Amino acid sequence: MEAKPDTAMSRSQDPEKKALLEVFELKTWFSSSSGMFARQKQHIRAVDGVSFRIRQNETLGLVGESGCGKTTLGRTLLGLETATSGHVIFKDRPLLSLSRKEMDQMRRHLQVVFQDPLSSLNPRMNVINIVTEGLVRFGMLKGSRQEHARRLLAEVGMDEAMIYRFPHEFSGGQRQRINIARAVSLRPDLIICDEAVSALDVSIQAQVINLLLTLQEQHFLSYLFISHDLSVVSNIADRVAVMYLGQIVETGSTAEVIREPLHPYTRMLIAALPVAGKKKVDSSGVKGETPLYTARPEGCRFNPRCRQAMDVCRRTAPDEIRQNSRSVRCHLYS
Ligand code: SF4
């Protein structure tokens, strides 16, 4: 598996690049009732003390198995879930403290592309209205809607004549291009791509990733690219954050993490990736599935699945250890 080339990696590590988004100890917990007569309240710690930053014109890949909390994290940043605690600074503004009206205005700068291209599009709206809706709402429409729609379709590699069609008339890949056209129409600073290519065929995935890379260069975009698939993330992300049960367990440049994964969970994800011409072998020896949030293990959350688990791992949760551009949350490095 190859990671995104070094040109992009050095761009991400450029200290001159300003932080666009900074997340500090973000927690998003939900309450659930369980047990006899549903009297016992339990906290589902979907996001449990997450910190990271994204620089201007950088892509951070957020990777982890289904149910690790990565989608809840994205939804919290978008204001679709309420944070329990923590701080988020976006464009020098405290995102979690904004009023509803201020957050609405901020949406111009913070866009999203969801996994399911069809359900993300209003079936009763044609392409003209879909891709120019935001421009009208934010008073950014200069010229006719048709003109803007044609330009936006051309930007995402689609035939300009398609502006009068409706979502059901397109393939999955074309629908996702329309979603991307809508997202870039407002010239945002950051786009959260939540499993944005997961529903597409592999060949279409590659085309959409190339489109995202081209648009990033053209419009100086940053992405938070959320995916369960590390091989997809490695093709687009400058840096990677690996998430397990609500926490980030490893970060680093994509090339470093792929070449030398530190956390046993990251090693497991890499070992499970298919290799062309070879039978898939999970050489890490890590087994099992992500436990339920309500059954969070004591100590290190990964210890029931970790072959290298020690006594301390079952007693004490590891702190995050940082060195240069890497971080890892594991007692092996204490
Ligand atoms: Fe494995 Fe222990 Fe590291 Fe957790 S802290 S990943 S159990 S070695």
Side-chain angles (χ1 to χ4, degrees), residues 28-48:
T28 308
W29 293 3
F30 304 104
S31 290
S32 80
S33 299
S34 66
M36 195 175 287
F37 308 117
R39 281 184 184 155
Q40 292 166 282
K41 282 258 187 223
Q42 287 182 302
H43 286 301
I44 297 170
R45 303 180 180 199
V47 178
D48 198 18

Side-chain angles (χ1 to χ4, degrees), residues 263-265 300 302-303 306 308-310 313 318 329-332:
H263 198 280
Y265 179 58
C300 170
F302 190 58
N303 86 73
C306 182
Q308 293 167 280
M310 305 166 279
C313 304
R329 195 181 282 271
C330 174
H331 286 305
L332 290 173

Side-chain angles (χ1 to χ4, degrees), residues 32 46 78 105 173 186 270 279 286 305:
S32 80
L78 290 162
Q105 289 303 312
L186 298 170
I270 291 173
K279 202 175 164 199
V286 185
R305 301 175 70 187

Side-chain angles (χ1 to χ4, degrees), residues 90-248:
F90 178 62
K91 285 180 74 68
D92 300 324
R93 306 273 319 267
L95 207 60
L96 302 181
S97 313
L98 298 183
S99 67
R100 184 180 288 252
K101 195 174 165 195
E102 289 170 325
M103 190 64 196
D104 274 351
Q105 289 303 312
M106 196 54 95
R107 279 282 164 73
R108 173 170 121 49
H109 305 283
L110 178 59
Q111 289 288 299
V112 63
V113 177
F114 288 114
Q115 176 176 358
D116 183 355
L118 184 56
S119 66
S120 307
L121 301 171
N122 186 335
R124 291 189 201 87
M125 288 171 77
N126 64 12
V127 174
I128 295 182
N129 290 323
I130 289 171
V131 298
T132 59
E133 190 183 18
L135 293 171
V136 173
R137 184 172 159 222
F138 287 97
M140 294 168 64
L141 194 70
K142 308 267 188 305
S144 72
R145 287 183 92 147
Q146 281 88 345
E147 244 173 71
H148 280 281
R150 285 198 186 95
R151 174 181 52 78
L152 286 164
L153 278 204
E155 271 188 28
V156 297
M158 289 180 67
D159 186 344
E160 300 172 25
M162 292 175 168
I163 58 172
Y164 297 103
R165 294 197 191 169
F166 289 82
H168 71 271
E169 298 179 76
F170 294 99
S171 67
Q174 287 173 320
R175 285 183 201 126
Q176 203 58 310
R177 285 175 189 266
I178 295 168
N179 277 310
I180 292 167
R182 177 173 60 185
V184 297
S185 69
L186 298 170
R187 299 291 178 253
D189 297 274
L190 176 66
I191 299 180
I192 297 178
C193 301
D194 186 1
E195 300 280 7
V197 298
S198 302
L200 308 176
D201 292 344
V202 174
S203 60
I204 308 295
Q205 281 186 356
Q207 291 172 16
V208 172
I209 284 175
N210 284 336
L211 170 64
L212 289 170
L213 288 168
T214 303
L215 292 170
Q216 180 171 45
E217 291 303 322
Q218 286 174 351
H219 301 303
F220 205 66
L221 288 167
S222 300
Y223 297 123
L224 174 60
F225 192 88
I226 298 172
S227 176
H228 67 282
D229 189 336
L230 185 55
S231 62
V232 170
V233 167
S234 70
N235 287 320
I236 188 168
D238 302 306
R239 287 188 304 118
V240 173
V242 181
M243 197 163 177
Y244 186 77
L245 271 189
Q247 292 187 322
I248 288 176

